[in-house]
Amino acid sequence: MRAVLRSEISKQRGAVLIVSLVFMLILTIIAAASMQSSTLQERMSGNAKDTNLAFQSAEAGLRAAETALSQINIGPFDGTDGLYRHCADPTDTATACVEPDWSNHSSVGWQVMAADVIPYASKPPEYFIEELVSVADSNQILDADQPVATLVFYRVTARGYGASNRSMVVLSTTYKRNN
């Protein structure tokens, strides 16, 4: 009986070790794949949060510009304080006609808001306003003793940053004002 038992043990030598190593290899591959997946999901959620913060910052810039446009006196559109004119001639290089490049992070000429408007943003929101065109209001009732109202259109461009300088959202809108 002892001889039979020894021959069976010698036949099974190492089989358990190989099976357990294969299982360990499979578990290691599954663990590595789930770590990679969770790392990717964490990056995606961080980027989504950063983009949302940049969007909210740009939206705050748009609202500030619209508030400035609703004032009685806006100021001269001479290329300072974020106020520009839209010039029909693209070769016109007057200061009032050359608005900032929205895609250049270091461009100047923007109206910069207070730093505490969006507390976690890397930079405060910025905007500029372009005076586009003035036209007579065609829907107004023409009375003999009333002047025809003039509608002035403006393009507002705002950009906001997220928690890092790498995320930037640019929003643009058109604003109509009665003069």
Side-chain angles (χ1 to χ4, degrees):
M1 177 110 169
R2 254 182 157 201
V4 173
L5 190 56
R6 279 191 188 184
S7 74
E8 285 182 16
I9 290 175
S10 65
K11 288 180 184 176
Q12 294 180 7
R13 194 176 273 167
V16 173
L17 178 63
I18 292 173
V19 170
S20 64
L21 286 176
V22 168
F23 279 131
M24 288 293 287
L25 179 64
I26 291 170
L27 288 175
T28 303
I29 290 172
I30 291 172
S34 31
M35 282 188 344
Q36 186 178 15
S37 174
S38 65
T39 302
L40 178 64
Q41 289 178 6
E42 182 150 347
R43 281 186 192 163
M44 289 183 342
S45 67
N47 287 340
K49 180 182 174 188
D50 206 24
T51 301
N52 188 27
L53 181 63
F55 179 81
Q56 296 301 324
S57 181
E59 186 72 25
L62 278 182
R63 297 297 158 241
E66 289 175 354
T67 300
L69 283 170
S70 68
Q71 303 299 317
I72 293 173
N73 287 333
I74 301 171
F77 286 85
D78 59 358
T80 61
D81 297 327
L83 302 174
Y84 297 89
R85 282 193 333 254
H86 177 72
C87 299
D89 184 11
T91 61
D92 193 351
T93 59
T95 305
C97 298
V98 183
E99 70 271 357
D101 180 13
W102 62 266
S103 62
N104 183 357
H105 287 267
S106 60
S107 67
V108 295
W110 296 80
Q111 180 66 34
V112 181
M113 296 177 59
D116 61 346
V117 172
I118 306 290
Y120 298 111
S122 62
K123 289 175 67 176
E126 304 169 321
Y127 67 86
F128 67 88
I129 302 170
E130 281 181 280
E131 184 179 39
L132 296 177
V133 66
S134 300
V135 295
D137 186 2
S138 61
N139 294 327
Q140 184 179 6
I141 298 173
L142 298 175
D143 289 336
D145 59 343
Q146 296 293 324
V148 176
T150 303
L151 298 176
V152 183
F153 292 90
Y154 301 91
R155 180 184 305 130
V156 177
T157 304
R159 68 179 176 185
Y161 295 91
S164 71
N165 280 339
R166 294 182 313 220
S167 62
M168 177 179 71
V169 171
V170 178
L171 299 176
S172 183
T173 188
T174 304
Y175 187 89
K176 176 180 75 170
R177 176 183 162 144
N178 293 334
N179 277 1

